[in-house]
Amino acid sequence: MTISEAPPQTDLVARATGLVEVIRKHATWQEENRILHDEVLQGITDAGIMKMRVPLRYGGYESDVRTITSVISELARGDGAVGWTVSTWTMGSWLAGLFPDEVQDEIFSDPSVRLCGGVTASGIAKETDGGVILNGRWHFVSGAPHSQWDTLSVMLEHPDGSMEPATIVVPMSDLTIVDDWHTAGLRATGSVTTIAQDVFVPTARVLPMMPLMMHGQHLSKANADSRTWKLPFVAHATAVTSSSAVGMAKAAREAFFEKLPSRKIAYTGYEQQAQAPITHLQVAEAAVKLDEAEFHVRRAAERLDSKALSGEQWTLEERATGKMDAAMACLRAKESVDVLNTASGGSSIYSDQPMQRIERDIQALNLNGVLHPNTVSETYGRILCGLEPNTHLI
């Protein structure tokens, strides 16, 4: 194994920017086929983007969170579904880095490996000699059709009948995929259902969720001193995945201004939409909301990077604030898209126009249970009022 040196942020972001046109070229195909196009997948792999959360010793980059969010935002500028899928694969690689080193040796034998997964404990892992017997059904597994491994959230059943949440990593070949991803938005993410039926999983591939992954602790000796694996899972995951929303809002802005010079306001005296005061108010509002979305992602990422560097412990309020930053980024980005979509006129609803897809994708993103602005706001408010968070995903 060769220790690699991570490319600088500007390099990786430039690689992502270079993929935007290829991604846009295949956006319609991806939505129709509900998976990423092979050329897009190959481009992401060749650019080294799948290595951002892979340990250095396997040829990965261990990029900081600021870099990762900037890269994913650029990919989502091409197609929000691509940004979202890569964000979930990126977090899958990070989760793998929490497991014992012998498990990582197997997973990262290919440093461009793709790991899907989710946070809903939809299965039972019953302890047995040398491991667990896994049964369950997991929905919304983004990127599953192109993944080699699945990181599954489960309830771990001990011999005495007690239960605790855990994460299990399983080869996709051990699972059944159900192609049930027929949705209004984020269609190209391939977020299908995966099923395990009496699958034996060795103990080394079972990671207790509390207190390990929720508080930046892990079972890896080789990653013990790496800043990359000293992050709380939820604040980290939400910062990374919410960056897709920023890219979607940027794409909406580009789509709007591309059409603006040739657009009039129907049934009015405005032959040029750009001359109308309402347009000035709309584009200003959309721009400010996009700025706010970028601020929240940037603040969340910088908090994660700085605390990992300093080694400071996270307070409950800091973890809640990080999750709130991510939710507000999604909400403000959606509001920015909504304004521009409203200003885009009836022609924007044609299927070959990107605005209608961006609007549907960002709506779908805001319905994600972990990022849902209303749910996250309540949790944040509870903590500010001195109450328990009412969720373990914090």
Side-chain angles (χ1 to χ4, degrees):
M1 293 180 290
T2 302
I3 300 297
S4 65
E5 183 175 342
Q9 177 180 329
T10 52
D11 186 2
L12 276 172
V13 174
R15 296 182 197 181
T17 300
L19 292 169
V20 169
E21 289 309 312
V22 173
I23 292 170
R24 286 179 176 172
K25 180 177 73 172
H26 295 298
T28 300
W29 184 95
Q30 292 183 147
E31 185 165 65
E32 290 174 352
N33 289 274
R34 297 173 294 114
I35 55 172
L36 302 193
H37 192 278
D38 286 345
E39 187 179 2
V40 171
L41 194 62
Q42 191 62 52
I44 291 167
T45 302
D46 291 345
I49 288 171
M50 294 310 305
K51 299 179 182 179
M52 291 191 297
R53 269 293 182 252
V54 173
L56 292 170
R57 66 186 183 279
Y58 299 111
Y61 299 156
E62 295 190 26
S63 304
D64 60 23
V65 184
R66 189 76 183 92
T67 297
I68 292 168
T69 55
S70 298
V71 166
I72 289 170
S73 177
E74 275 298 279
L75 297 177
R77 191 166 65 83
D79 183 346
V82 175
W84 176 263
T85 304
V86 172
S87 75
T88 59
W89 280 334
T90 300
M91 286 308 304
S93 295
W94 182 83
L95 279 172
L98 301 176
F99 283 83
D101 298 325
E102 63 269 25
V103 175
Q104 294 181 56
D105 288 342
E106 184 179 8
I107 291 173
F108 293 124
S109 58
D110 174 5
S112 295
V113 65
R114 294 181 291 269
L115 297 97
C116 57
V119 297
T120 303
S122 300
I124 300 294
K126 188 172 184 177
E127 288 188 333
T128 188
D129 290 342
V132 299
I133 300 298
L134 177 64
N135 285 281
R137 187 183 187 99
W138 294 264
H139 303 288
F140 303 103
V141 188
S142 299
H146 290 304
S147 297
Q148 291 86 30
W149 294 82
D150 198 350
T151 54
L152 303 168
S153 294
V154 302
M155 294 304 296
L156 179 61
E157 182 179 346
H158 298 294
D160 63 2
S162 62
M163 299 275 199
E164 68 169 316
T167 295
I168 292 181
V169 62
V170 181
M172 293 301 297
S173 57
D174 288 351
L175 304 171
T176 300
I177 290 180
V178 179
D179 184 8
D180 57 359
W181 186 242
H182 300 280
T183 58
L186 291 176
R187 290 171 54 84
T189 61
S191 303
V192 295
T193 293
T194 60
I195 299 174
Q197 185 172 357
D198 295 328
V199 174
F200 175 78
V201 182
T203 300
R205 293 203 217 129
V206 180
L207 181 74
M209 189 176 293
M210 304 293 287
L212 293 174
M213 61 180 280
M214 287 299 169
H215 299 284
Q217 302 175 41
H218 48 78
L219 301 177
S220 172
K221 294 179 180 178
N223 293 341
D225 295 325
S226 172
R227 296 196 302 269
T228 300
W229 283 277
K230 292 184 178 180
L231 300 170
F233 169 70
V234 175
H236 181 198
T238 54
V240 169
T241 52
S242 66
S243 59
S244 294
V246 172
M248 294 182 204
K250 289 181 177 180
R253 181 175 62 184
E254 290 180 33
F256 178 83
F257 280 104
E258 181 181 353
K259 295 288 185 181
L260 183 62
S262 60
R263 185 186 286 129
K264 63 180 182 179
I265 300 182
Y267 310 114
T268 75
Y270 289 110
E271 291 299 315
Q272 289 186 312
Q273 185 183 19
Q275 297 297 319
I278 183 61
T279 305
H280 308 154
L281 295 172
Q282 287 170 322
V283 298
E285 181 183 2
V288 170
K289 289 183 180 298
L290 174 54
D291 286 344
E292 292 175 1
E294 288 191 280
F295 161 77
H296 283 292
V297 171
R298 182 172 62 252
R299 183 170 72 168
E302 290 176 349
R303 183 188 299 112
L304 286 155
D305 288 335
S306 64
K307 289 186 74 67
L309 185 62
S310 69
E312 295 178 41
Q313 295 297 307
W314 285 70
T315 66
L316 180 61
E317 184 171 327
E318 285 174 330
R319 298 204 304 275
T321 302
K323 192 175 180 182
M324 192 72 209
D325 273 331
M328 286 301 100
C330 294
L331 178 60
R332 295 292 177 256
K334 177 182 177 299
E335 291 171 346
S336 179
V337 173
D338 287 345
V339 171
L340 295 177
N341 181 56
T342 298
S344 291
S347 62
S348 67
I349 68 173
Y350 281 94
S351 58
D352 64 348
Q353 296 301 306
M355 186 63 78
Q356 51 81 28
R357 171 175 48 81
I358 297 166
E359 173 71 16
R360 290 183 287 105
D361 284 351
I362 204 159
Q363 171 69 26
L365 189 152
N366 272 263
L367 293 174
N368 179 277
V370 180
L371 295 169
H372 195 279
N374 290 348
T375 305
V376 176
S377 293
E378 180 188 347
T379 299
Y380 185 53
R382 287 178 63 88
I383 291 170
L384 292 178
C385 289
L387 301 176
E388 290 300 312
N390 199 28
T391 176
H392 70 278
L393 289 173
I394 189 71

